[in-house]
Amino acid sequence: MATFLEKWVEEQARLTKPDKIYWCDGSDEEARKIVEIGLTRERIEDYNVFHKLSQKTFPSSYLHRSHPTDVARAEHLTYVCHSDKKTAGPNNNWMPPAQAKEKLTKLSDGCMRGRTMYVLPYMMGHPESPYAKACVQLTDVSYVAVSMRIMTRVGKGVIQKIKKTDNFVRGFHSVGDFHQDRRFIMHFPDENLVWSIGSGYGGNALLGKKCFSLRIASWLGLKENWLAEHMIIIGVEDPQGKITYIAAAMPSACGKTNLAMMEPALPGYKVWTVGDDIAWLNIGPDGRLWAINPENGFFGVASGTSMKTNPNMIRTLKAGKFYPTIFTNTALNTDTNDPWWEGLDGEIPSNLVDWRGREWNPSLGTKAAHPNSRFTVAISQCPTVSPEFNNPDGVPISAILLGGRRTNLIPLVYESFNWQHGVFTGGGIGSETTAAAIHKVGVLRRDPMAMLPFCGYNMGDYFRHWLNIGKRLAHPPKIFAVNWFRTDGEGNFLWPGFGENIRVLKWIIERINNKIGAKETPIGFVPNPKDLELDGINIPQENLEKLFEVNIEDWGEEIKDIQKFFEQFGKRMPEEIWKEFKNFKELK
Ligand code: GTP
Ligand code: SPV
Ligand code: MN
């Protein structure tokens, strides 16, 4: 008798009419075959899906150019289809599930004609982890099939798991005709289903990532008492060899990957990488918060990545151990056949074509690499990958960092008074938008816990859920807010960032261990000047003052904006958060 999975695949094939159906086993040999198809047969506009790069500099690497309208997440085309609008909340686009399905069914009719339907069984999380989830994605493009192998644990073993339980998350994906008018990324949380059509780009198409591991998983977390968060997970080893695990949320393109594999500027410190984008957080039997990274690879921002900013990522990209590594929408040095992007070490090469394949030189005034150009690479290639990466139980979290990109107002770091105050602080965080999604860049918006585009239900309920989790933790992590992006009057960053961020982590760890005091301000505790390690770094005194300045007079607009944001959630907004808000407003 056909299994639920087989029936589903058959049904989707009847609708989409692919030439072939291919069940992936996740093997190296298979990946090579699929890449071969993208090198020769499939085309996007006038370009093959894959272009082989110089194997000397970046072994096993390929360049992929996406459709020029398809270069980032499409938040305006992303829907969460709960049965009622209130459950989706003002933070999500919503359509009644039946209407959404009708629309998608029409768009999907015959959409795989002439193409292959790849069936990808995969795990989010280590197969032996009690927190892992089994999934199956269908896709009609080699780029997505191969990227899923890098980003997740693809393998036939998953089918065995599924057979026993019939419990898995379904992802249907087709690039359709790439047209924006026929592009939708729709989520059906009550059916464990994601249906995405019209885009081949990362977060719209690699459905294990934001679609499942955040939007659907956050909803599962609400029902099952855990949290799915847009957070990195790191182990910070101090000179005595003690490792402290930290989770940190920052919006897209705001520094997570860089922080996750930092090369610390302070001697004796080491950062171990557990995850760079997503954390699933569970309450352990010991009353602590335990984190796993459900992913198996990095889908990182290329622009700005160099031996100076993120040497461990450059090393990861050059390792060539796991097949393949993919660059998406970077420029190409036509002399050397190497990928190139703004911020990479060395001179600007003289013979470049831009991310669309057009001849390029700096005088054009455009960017050669798309600002959201990315690489897809296995986490196993990372020289700082934590020995705990595959630990089924995850790692115990001692601190949560919540960040944003703020050119002014927000100090480098401050500590919340307690969990409830931390939820209020995180809930009110704002960040300036980046090129990771299709919208105007540099616009300030509220982005609570960096989850605004990823929370799969009403954020009022989400804040309540955070409060409840806090109550159930015997040892809740301390909550800190961070901002690497404050600038001076001329737009220069006040803080050098990257490897120097270890100084902030050191302060945080000392606070966790009650080793040092701090200055109390209305927004939380900020470092006493003497407690931030500044040995070996030269920061003008006035910059330091500015970095930690909490001028409460300047918070007027911010408070109004936070209030307006919270008010959208009406009765679903927890009283406790309003209480914190009121306290804060009165202090002001
Ligand atoms: P997503 O993959 O979209 O989730 O992004 P991310 O949060 O992982 O951001 P990432 O670490 O890739 O950094 C995004 C951009 O911010 C890059 O261009 C980095 O060079 C820059 N960046 C990262 N960390 C710092 C920092 O400490 N200071 C400054 N000034 N820039 C940073
Ligand atoms: C982000 O935008 O947060 C990313 C890239 O990490 S994507 O996979 O598109 O979500
Ligand atoms: Mn990242």
Side-chain angles (χ1 to χ4, degrees):
M1 213 181 77
T3 61
F4 181 68
L5 169 61
E6 286 159 352
K7 274 191 240 155
W8 178 60
V9 172
E10 233 168 73
E11 232 169 71
Q12 297 308 300
R14 226 176 296 132
L15 172 64
T16 61
K17 306 178 182 66
D19 273 13
K20 264 195 299 210
I21 301 177
Y22 177 80
W23 290 70
C24 295
D25 62 16
S27 67
D28 191 76
E29 193 193 345
E30 173 183 277
R32 287 174 199 273
K33 272 193 216 142
I34 298 176
V35 167
E36 193 62 35
I37 292 169
L39 279 169
T40 51
R41 272 173 276 157
E42 289 173 308
R43 296 176 82 77
I44 290 180
E45 293 230 306
D46 57 352
Y47 188 79
N48 286 333
V49 168
F50 291 120
H51 166 86
K52 193 168 186 172
L53 292 163
S54 156
Q55 302 296 294
K56 259 205 327 265
T57 336
F58 293 101
S60 301
S61 284
Y62 298 84
L63 172 66
H64 168 79
R65 291 193 190 122
S66 44
H67 190 279
T69 66
D70 188 28
V71 293
R73 279 183 298 101
E75 292 181 5
H76 56 300
L77 306 173
T78 300
Y79 287 71
V80 179
C81 304
H82 285 284
S83 55
D84 69 308
K85 192 173 189 326
K86 284 230 170 77
T87 305
N91 47 296
N92 281 304
N93 296 316
W94 177 83
M95 210 184 268
Q99 189 189 333
K101 285 215 176 139
E102 201 185 307
K103 201 176 187 69
L104 292 169
T105 303
K106 268 194 205 133
L107 291 173
S108 305
D109 191 355
C111 68
M112 292 192 184
R113 233 178 233 122
R115 311 181 71 94
T116 298
M117 178 196 270
Y118 297 95
V119 182
L120 294 143
Y122 68 98
M123 291 301 295
M124 293 313 287
H126 191 277
E128 277 156 34
S129 171
Y131 312 124
K133 304 273 180 196
C135 317
V136 178
Q137 171 162 348
L138 311 180
T139 184
D140 58 357
V141 64
S142 58
Y143 169 73
V144 171
V146 171
S147 300
M148 285 297 286
R149 160 176 151 86
I150 304 170
M151 295 306 297
T152 74
R153 294 161 169 96
V154 174
K156 283 243 162 97
V158 183
I159 297 176
Q160 287 309 316
K161 253 193 196 311
I162 289 171
K163 254 193 198 141
K164 280 185 229 142
T165 63
D166 257 14
N167 175 11
F168 65 101
V169 180
R170 293 170 294 158
F172 168 86
H173 171 255
S174 167
V175 290
D177 62 3
F178 287 105
H179 201 287
Q180 297 163 84
D181 293 348
R182 290 179 286 281
R183 180 179 298 162
F184 290 99
I185 300 98
M186 302 238 191
H187 304 70
F188 301 88
D190 286 330
E191 296 173 55
N192 277 339
L193 171 68
V194 184
W195 194 332
S196 164
I197 185 157
S199 167
Y201 170 78
N204 303 330
L206 310 180
L207 304 183
K209 199 170 176 54
K210 299 307 206 300
C211 297
F212 169 49
S213 289
L214 290 179
R215 295 194 194 94
I216 300 280
S218 60
W219 175 245
L220 294 176
L222 177 71
K223 292 189 294 185
E224 300 167 1
N225 264 311
W226 55 283
L227 291 166
E229 295 294 331
H230 191 199
M231 289 179 182
I232 69 164
I233 309 163
I234 50 176
V236 184
E237 185 173 337
D238 70 13
Q240 288 72 47
K242 184 176 172 223
I243 300 179
T244 305
Y245 290 97
I246 294 177
M250 291 160 187
S252 302
C254 292
K256 287 185 302 300
T257 300
N258 278 268
L259 188 63
M261 51 183 69
M262 170 211 286
E263 189 160 84
L266 288 177
Y269 280 86
K270 182 153 174 72
V271 168
W272 295 102
T273 312
V274 183
D276 87 317
D277 198 47
I278 296 173
W280 285 355
L281 305 165
N282 282 273
I283 301 171
D286 58 357
R288 290 192 290 175
L289 195 59
W290 286 74
I292 66 158
N293 169 16
E295 300 192 280
N296 206 30
F298 304 125
F299 183 57
V301 177
S303 297
T305 305
S306 72
M307 280 307 282
K308 279 195 296 300
T309 57
N310 191 354
N312 286 321
M313 186 52 97
I314 299 286
R315 290 174 193 130
T316 304
L317 293 170
K318 292 191 172 189
K321 282 191 283 188
F322 184 93
Y323 183 89
T325 294
I326 304 172
F327 292 87
T328 300
N329 297 333
T330 62
L332 176 68
N333 180 340
T334 54
D335 285 338
T336 60
N337 204 21
D338 283 324
W340 188 85
W341 53 84
E342 277 75 11
L344 187 63
D345 310 271
E347 303 276 295
I348 301 177
S350 49
N351 286 315
L352 281 179
V353 289
D354 72 5
W355 61 276
R356 298 185 61 169
R358 301 171 304 192
E359 272 180 30
W360 185 90
N361 67 67
S363 72
L364 289 171
T366 57
K367 300 264 191 243
H370 190 278
N372 192 39
S373 57
R374 295 202 173 235
F375 40 73
T376 317
V377 64
I379 197 166
S380 59
Q381 290 196 172
C382 177
T384 58
V385 65
S386 164
E388 302 301 317
F389 168 67
N390 277 320
N391 186 333
D393 295 327
V395 294
I397 298 297
S398 301
I400 291 177
L401 278 49
L402 303 170
R405 183 183 281 268
R406 293 299 297 269
T407 46
N408 47 48
L409 193 73
I410 307 300
L412 181 65
V413 58
Y414 58 100
E415 179 189 327
S416 294
F417 300 123
N418 51 49
W419 181 272
Q420 179 171 306
H421 180 250
V423 178
F424 159 69
T425 303
I429 275 183
S431 190
E432 286 143 28
T433 50
T434 67
I438 297 173
H439 48 203
K440 200 160 171 272
V441 170
V443 180
L444 178 64
R445 68 172 185 185
R446 295 298 118 198
D447 193 348
M449 286 76 168
M451 281 290 277
L452 181 72
F454 308 119
C455 180
Y457 59 96
N458 191 311
M459 272 200 141
D461 298 340
Y462 172 76
F463 297 136
R464 157 78 49 221
H465 185 43
W466 262 74
L467 294 173
N468 287 341
I469 293 277
K471 283 187 202 131
R472 298 185 55 215
L473 287 166
H475 310 285
K478 283 200 179 198
I479 298 178
F480 299 81
V482 295
N483 173 31
W484 313 145
F485 300 96
R486 204 168 185 175
T487 52
D488 63 14
E490 274 132 42
N492 308 303
F493 292 118
L494 289 167
W495 179 251
F498 303 104
E500 305 292 353
N501 291 331
I502 190 67
R503 299 172 192 275
V504 176
L505 298 184
K506 178 174 184 264
W507 181 79
I508 286 170
I509 292 167
E510 282 166 2
R511 285 294 295 167
I512 298 169
N513 296 326
N514 298 315
K515 291 245 177 76
I516 50 174
K519 193 169 117 193
E520 187 168 343
T521 78
I523 62 170
F525 297 111
V526 297
N528 286 317
K530 66 168 175 45
D531 291 328
L532 191 76
E533 176 71 72
L534 290 172
D535 249 19
I537 190 177
N538 229 333
I539 300 182
Q541 187 56 34
E542 57 179 289
N543 283 13
L544 279 177
E545 277 162 27
K546 193 105 208 280
L547 276 168
F548 291 108
E549 187 181 76
V550 181
N551 185 349
I552 223 67
E553 296 307 311
D554 294 344
W555 278 73
E557 284 304 309
E558 187 79 0
I559 292 180
K560 266 193 244 155
D561 203 43
I562 293 173
Q563 178 167 0
K564 215 170 86 198
F565 181 77
F566 284 174
E567 277 170 352
Q568 295 177 83
F569 303 101
K571 286 208 186 72
R572 300 220 179 196
M573 199 65 197
E575 270 312 306
E576 294 93 320
I577 302 294
W578 280 123
K579 206 174 117 214
E580 294 290 342
F581 178 83
K582 210 164 138 264
N583 282 349
F584 175 51
K585 210 171 154 200
E586 274 162 13
L587 280 172
K588 194 213 160 250

